[in-house]
Amino acid sequence: MIPEKMQQLLPEVELDPSVISVLLCSSTVAFLGLKWMVKKLVQQKMQEARRNRVRALGQMEEAVQQFKQENPEVQASRILSLPLIELVKKLKEGSLSPESVLYTYMDKALEVNQDVNCVTDFIQECVHLLQEMRTQKKKGSLYGVPVSIKDPIGYEGHVSTCGLGQYLGYPEQEDSVLVKVLKNQGAIPFVKTNISQCLINYDCSNLIFGQTVNPLNHKKSPGGSSGGEGALIAGGGSILGFGTDIGGSIRLPSSFCGLCGLKPTGNRLSGPVSYVQTVTGMVGPMARDVDSLALCMRALLCDDMFRLDPTVPPLPFNEKVYSSSTPLRIGYYDTDGYFLLPPCMRRAVHETRMLLQEAGHMLIPFIPPRIDYVMNELFMKGLFADGGAALLEKLELETVDPNSCSQINCYKLPFLLKKILAFLTKPLFPRFSSYLNALCGVWSPKEFSKLHAALMIYRREFLSRWRDLDLDVVLCPVLGPAFTLGYPGRLIAAVSSTMLYNVLNFPAGVVPVTTVTEADEENLKHYTGHYDDPWDRRLRQAVEGAVGLPVAVQCVALPWQEELCLRFMKEVERLAQRQKKQTEDNLQHGGSQADAGRDLQNDVQRALSHTAGQSDMQAQASRTTVQTNMLMDVQRTLAQTDLAADVQSDVQTEASLMTLQTDVQKTGPQTDLLADLQPHVSPQSSGLDVQPDVQTQLTHPDSETMPCQPDVQTQLIQPDVQPDVQTKLTQCDMQPDVQTQPSQPDVQTQLTQCDMQPDVQTQPSQPDVQPDVQTQPTHPDIETQPCQPDVQTQPTPPDIETQPSHHDVQTDVPTA
């Protein structure tokens, strides 16, 4: 009935198929042409933005040069060396002028930017702020401090690009609340810094301003997405900066660049609006030390912040909590069970744990529940609840940055293809399968409600476990060390260590505690991760070649307890710095002997690694040769030292020496026994502090000396051999009670035969007497392995039987 009426009303028109084809083709061409024109316009905007940056940096340099000519007496190095606390003090008392500080940091920022490409915009209004500060009667908490801000943080008259060309040409209409409060506190924002495209990965690269590199190693990434801030502060071009964090974008650059960074509780500070309800993003400070972060939070948590943004809870900075010295109950873990971090990051957690225990804090093992579930079902599915549709829509008119292609390509897969690939890869690659399922998102309001409910349930579960242990804070690892360029976009799932506390909305900070060592690099070769899948192998490749780069730990507190988190970070920083100072003092006292020992240890490691591919027999023969050569070299080296001369002068008589040598030769197998025990019992001497009851003869022809270098882990036998040697002594007078101290911090002299100890006080044997040998730790930041911790000696009848722990290993090393 209705179709017939419609036909009567509508005129009858005959459609020619050729006309339809023309219309379709012309529409397609018009659409493609329009799309090409829009992309072309975006590219032109990007080129214009690059020209504007060059122009702005040129103006910045002109202003700096003019100031230098007018004020040649300014000591830039002195200003740059001051920590933030001292800098503010000198600015307020007038011993430093805000102009000298600002132009000094402008000059340094230009230098750092030329090196690492981290600055995207010069805020020219900073010069006018200097003039306004002269009229202000009250000096704020950040009076005269130049600060840098991340690209998305709004500043009136300047563009927030988010790494996308389509936002160019649309400057901010007003300052963000954060910038307003900074200005009220006397701070001077002077530059904006680079980010990753769309802020979606932890690299720092976009097609507008290019790639930012790590100032500590240009082959490494500075982290992201606040990588420009991390690179600028680490390079010395800024003393205080601000980033944003939705999955680790403050903490990861801090970890990669060796900085301190704090991710506060969501909305503790006013920041950019977060459109993701299940994952909380926030703004936070980055600096060189924890005191700078505390000063920043103290300044920002003020009435101006609470007045300008009523959604921020009126919680001023709690100075009592931050300055408290009460021992803490600290939970700790070195892996979350989802992504096993490199050995150096786990070592940092355990070294920090030991320092905290020695300082009187209570350390309690803590296991975060179901991280794989959180990573995929809560974080990824919550972040891409629409399947990535909103993100892909933003990128339709953009060219994807090469560092983000791998990540974006996964988002572009059709829903059905994601499901099929997830099903097919589940047996061989379960993590990738779960990741693909999560990228499918939630496609109904009912599923989204379930996701939100699941998030609340997990938060309660986590808090319940926290409360059961009565914890104050948690110590845990953070992703690092710095990745090689190009890898962050291919390992998005590796952020499990940081994303957890965005899901939970807990405050978390990062503190550098040590650096990557040669031993860490060696251990990395054996890294397989939890799954030994392509992601684990890719992580090993990403962190290779990081010797000397910073290694950090993560400190976590409960929501709205930023002051407690900062206090914990300060304690970790203090203990790590004290340990570092002790290490440096030990190394300075080591002198040339330490360097010689280190070189020899490195030679041994290279020799052993060269023989790794040989057969067992060839490898054993090669190791024996290396041992012999090393012992001869060390003997010749130490025989020339002052220690050898001092100890040699203490030898009583040549007659007594010959008598001891004769006694040893009569014992026969006892000498071989002591030679076998030599790698396992390592008495140490301590330079001028040698105890009077122990005299070491280094020049006797039958003596053998072996250096034990704490900076390098060297094993002269197969790494998997850990002998448990039980030795039976034959003579009652062959069981001395010796207590020695290290002669040099980096060289340990080992005695092999009885004729090397002519003046050792001996005691009559008793049925259950064991030698009391005390050893001291050498280097706090480096793992050292004792030659043999479990050596038991028992007096027996004259017949000596020595049983090696491994039937394939024979320690028959000729003496020099």
Side-chain angles (χ1 to χ4, degrees):
M1 185 72 180
I2 295 177
E4 293 178 356
K5 290 183 177 181
M6 291 294 295
Q7 290 178 0
Q8 294 175 0
L9 293 175
L10 293 175
E12 295 183 1
V13 178
E14 295 182 0
L15 296 178
D16 189 355
S18 61
V19 174
I20 297 176
S21 301
V22 170
L23 289 175
L24 291 176
C25 292
S26 59
S27 300
T28 304
V29 170
F31 174 77
L32 294 177
L34 181 62
K35 190 174 182 180
W36 177 85
M37 290 177 61
V38 173
K39 281 193 173 184
K40 192 70 174 178
L41 180 62
V42 170
Q43 292 177 358
Q44 291 177 358
K45 286 184 177 181
M46 293 168 61
Q47 293 175 359
E48 182 64 22
R50 287 190 283 267
R51 287 193 294 267
N52 290 338
R53 180 176 72 155
V54 173
R55 189 182 305 113
L57 294 179
Q59 295 174 355
M60 185 176 173
E61 187 171 5
E62 289 178 3
V64 169
Q65 294 302 325
Q66 182 179 354
F67 177 81
K68 284 184 176 181
Q69 293 176 1
E70 296 175 355
N71 302 272
E73 73 281 357
V74 175
Q75 299 179 355
S77 59
R78 174 171 168 264
I79 294 175
L80 294 173
S81 64
L82 292 174
L84 182 59
I85 298 293
E86 296 184 19
L87 180 65
V88 171
K89 181 179 178 181
K90 291 183 179 296
L91 284 167
K92 286 185 175 182
E93 68 185 15
S95 58
L96 284 177
S97 66
E99 291 85 358
S100 62
V101 174
L102 174 61
Y103 284 104
T104 296
Y105 272 99
M106 285 170 58
D107 186 26
K108 186 63 177 179
L110 287 169
E111 178 185 338
V112 175
N113 178 69
Q114 188 176 4
D115 191 37
V116 301
N117 185 37
C118 57
V119 175
T120 61
D121 193 8
F122 169 51
I123 302 176
Q124 301 174 2
E125 292 82 354
C126 64
V127 178
H128 302 293
L129 286 177
L130 287 174
Q131 299 175 357
E132 294 178 3
M133 290 174 57
R134 295 192 183 98
T135 63
Q136 294 179 356
K137 297 181 179 179
K138 182 181 178 181
K139 296 180 179 180
S141 300
L142 297 174
Y143 174 75
V145 177
V147 299
S148 52
I149 57 177
K150 186 178 178 179
D151 173 273
I153 299 176
Y155 197 102
E156 183 180 358
H158 295 263
V159 178
S160 298
T161 67
C162 290
L164 297 173
Q166 58 192 282
Y167 292 140
L168 293 171
Y170 301 98
E172 298 286 346
Q173 299 300 313
E174 63 176 350
D175 291 337
S176 62
V177 173
L178 177 68
V179 171
K180 291 179 180 178
V181 177
L182 286 172
K183 289 181 178 180
N184 292 342
Q185 290 294 334
I188 306 174
F190 71 110
V191 291
K192 295 188 105 178
T193 53
N194 202 20
I195 56 174
S196 60
Q197 188 180 44
C198 265
L199 313 176
I200 56 172
N201 70 23
Y202 52 100
D203 202 346
C204 189
S205 174
N206 59 75
L207 296 180
I208 305 174
F209 303 113
Q211 172 77 58
T212 300
V213 298
N214 195 312
L216 306 178
N217 185 337
H218 291 181
K219 296 180 180 179
K220 297 291 184 176
S221 169
S225 58
S226 309
E229 281 298 316
L232 183 62
I233 300 173
S238 177
I239 196 170
L240 178 65
F242 292 88
T244 59
D245 192 310
I246 198 172
S249 295
I250 289 176
R251 290 161 289 164
L252 294 177
S254 298
S255 172
F256 285 16
C257 297
L259 303 175
C260 297
L262 175 67
K263 177 205 78 68
T265 308
N267 218 39
R268 184 74 192 265
L269 298 176
S270 178
V273 178
S274 176
Y275 297 100
V276 182
Q277 299 299 320
T278 54
V279 182
T280 309
M282 64 288 296
V283 65
M286 301 167 64
R288 302 173 196 167
D289 53 65
V290 179
D291 281 336
S292 299
L293 302 180
L295 176 61
C296 175
M297 294 296 293
R298 193 180 294 115
L300 293 177
L301 296 176
C302 61
D303 292 337
D304 290 334
M305 176 71 73
F306 310 142
R307 175 177 54 84
L308 293 172
D309 189 352
T311 63
V312 175
L315 299 174
F317 190 83
N318 193 329
E319 193 66 42
K320 182 179 179 180
V321 173
Y322 178 67
S323 59
S324 174
S325 58
T326 305
L328 299 172
R329 288 180 61 85
I330 305 170
Y332 73 92
Y333 61 91
D334 65 354
T335 178
D336 56 20
Y338 181 75
F339 229 111
L340 184 66
L341 297 184
C344 59
M345 311 310 292
R346 290 176 279 130
R347 172 177 63 85
V349 171
H350 289 289
E351 289 182 355
T352 304
R353 172 182 62 84
M354 294 175 63
L355 293 175
L356 290 167
Q357 284 179 331
E358 294 172 359
H361 301 283
M362 177 69 70
L363 274 295
I364 304 165
F366 176 77
I367 302 175
R370 301 187 294 159
I371 299 300
D372 55 342
Y373 168 79
V374 180
M375 182 66 193
N376 295 306
E377 296 301 318
L378 299 182
F379 179 74
M380 295 303 300
K381 187 172 286 189
L383 196 60
F384 300 103
D386 60 352
L391 174 64
L392 296 176
E393 183 181 356
K394 294 292 183 183
L395 295 173
E396 282 183 358
L397 303 177
E398 302 278 345
T399 302
V400 178
D401 185 85
N403 291 320
S404 302
C405 282
S406 176
Q407 184 179 354
I408 297 300
N409 288 338
C410 288
Y411 304 157
K412 288 183 177 180
L413 294 175
F415 176 85
L416 183 59
L417 184 57
K418 289 177 185 176
K419 287 293 186 180
I420 294 175
L421 289 177
F423 176 77
L424 295 177
T425 57
K426 188 173 184 178
L428 299 177
F429 200 169
R431 283 194 298 186
F432 183 68
S433 174
S434 301
Y435 174 72
L436 285 177
N437 270 323
L439 291 183
C440 293
V442 292
W443 289 95
S444 69
K446 182 178 180 181
E447 287 187 16
F448 189 80
S449 298
K450 290 182 179 179
L451 174 64
H452 190 74
L455 175 61
M456 296 298 103
I457 292 173
Y458 180 80
R459 286 178 178 172
R460 287 197 294 268
E461 178 185 354
F462 192 96
L463 285 171
S464 175
R465 184 168 297 190
W466 184 299
R467 294 300 190 191
D468 289 344
L469 297 175
D470 193 21
L471 301 178
D472 296 315
V473 289
V474 163
L475 172 71
C476 57
V478 62
L479 182 62
F483 279 23
T484 302
L485 293 173
Y487 277 92
R490 301 162 59 193
L491 277 170
I492 189 64
V495 300
S496 61
S497 60
T498 53
M499 68 81 207
L500 172 65
Y501 299 105
N502 291 90
V503 172
L504 294 170
N505 195 21
F506 284 15
V510 164
V511 182
V513 295
T514 182
T515 57
V516 181
T517 65
E518 292 284 356
D520 294 327
E521 281 289 300
E522 189 65 26
N523 292 333
L524 182 64
K525 297 177 181 179
H526 308 291
Y527 171 89
T528 58
H530 286 307
Y531 294 83
D532 195 19
D533 58 15
W535 279 354
D536 285 330
R537 292 189 286 272
R538 190 175 297 168
L539 177 67
R540 183 175 64 247
Q541 298 169 0
V543 300
E544 286 177 347
V547 174
L549 292 182
V551 174
V553 295
Q554 186 173 202
C555 306
V556 184
L558 291 175
W560 312 109
Q561 295 186 8
E562 280 74 16
E563 297 87 348
L564 181 59
C565 184
L566 288 169
R567 184 242 162 145
F568 181 34
M569 293 169 63
K570 179 63 179 178
E571 181 72 358
V572 170
E573 180 187 56
R574 181 183 67 84
L575 295 174
Q577 290 179 350
R578 186 183 68 180
Q579 190 75 357
K580 180 180 178 181
K581 186 177 183 301
Q582 293 176 356
T583 302
E584 291 175 350
D585 292 341
N586 292 337
L587 291 176
Q588 289 177 358
H589 288 91
S592 60
Q593 291 185 6
D595 297 334
R598 186 181 298 108
D599 293 340
L600 289 173
Q601 297 282 10
N602 290 335
D603 292 340
V604 172
Q605 280 193 336
R606 285 192 294 269
L608 293 178
S609 62
H610 180 69
T611 61
Q614 300 178 356
S615 63
D616 293 339
M617 183 178 300
Q618 291 174 339
Q620 181 178 354
S622 177
R623 284 193 296 269
T624 303
T625 304
V626 171
Q627 293 176 6
T628 304
N629 295 336
M630 190 200 70
L631 293 175
M632 296 175 64
D633 291 341
V634 174
Q635 183 180 12
R636 287 193 297 268
T637 302
L638 294 181
Q640 300 174 2
T641 61
D642 295 337
L643 176 62
D646 293 340
V647 177
Q648 183 177 5
S649 63
D650 294 335
V651 180
Q652 294 180 353
T653 59
E654 183 67 17
S656 61
L657 186 63
M658 296 300 296
T659 302
L660 289 174
Q661 181 177 3
T662 303
D663 293 340
V664 172
Q665 291 176 352
K666 290 179 179 180
T667 60
Q670 295 181 9
T671 303
D672 298 333
L673 170 61
L674 294 177
D676 291 338
L677 285 177
Q678 179 185 357
H680 310 295
V681 182
S682 178
Q684 304 174 350
S685 54
S686 179
L688 300 178
D689 297 331
V690 178
Q691 295 184 0
D693 60 333
V694 180
Q695 297 180 355
T696 308
Q697 177 68 20
L698 298 178
T699 58
H700 193 274
D702 292 335
S703 63
E704 297 181 1
T705 59
M706 294 178 61
C708 186
Q709 176 61 35
D711 294 337
V712 182
Q713 297 181 358
T714 305
Q715 298 179 351
L716 299 182
I717 60 175
Q718 292 180 344
D720 56 347
V721 178
Q722 298 182 355
D724 185 9
V725 180
Q726 296 183 354
T727 308
K728 300 180 180 180
L729 304 180
T730 58
Q731 293 183 356
C732 295
D733 57 352
M734 292 298 292
Q735 190 174 2
D737 186 5
V738 182
Q739 296 181 354
T740 63
Q741 298 179 350
S743 62
Q744 298 293 341
D746 297 313
V747 179
Q748 296 180 355
T749 306
Q750 299 183 352
L751 308 180
T752 59
Q753 296 181 352
C754 295
D755 55 3
M756 291 176 61
Q757 304 179 6
D759 295 330
V760 177
Q761 297 180 358
T762 60
Q763 298 178 358
S765 63
Q766 297 178 1
D768 295 321
V769 177
Q770 297 182 356
D772 185 11
V773 181
Q774 298 181 354
T775 60
Q776 298 182 354
T778 56
H779 196 293
D781 292 334
I782 300 175
E783 298 178 355
T784 59
Q785 299 180 355
C787 296
Q788 176 60 42
D790 298 332
V791 179
Q792 301 178 356
T793 59
Q794 299 179 356
T796 59
D799 293 336
I800 299 175
E801 296 179 359
T802 304
Q803 298 178 354
S805 61
H806 197 289
H807 65 278
D808 292 334
V809 178
Q810 298 179 358
T811 57
D812 187 10
V813 182
T815 61

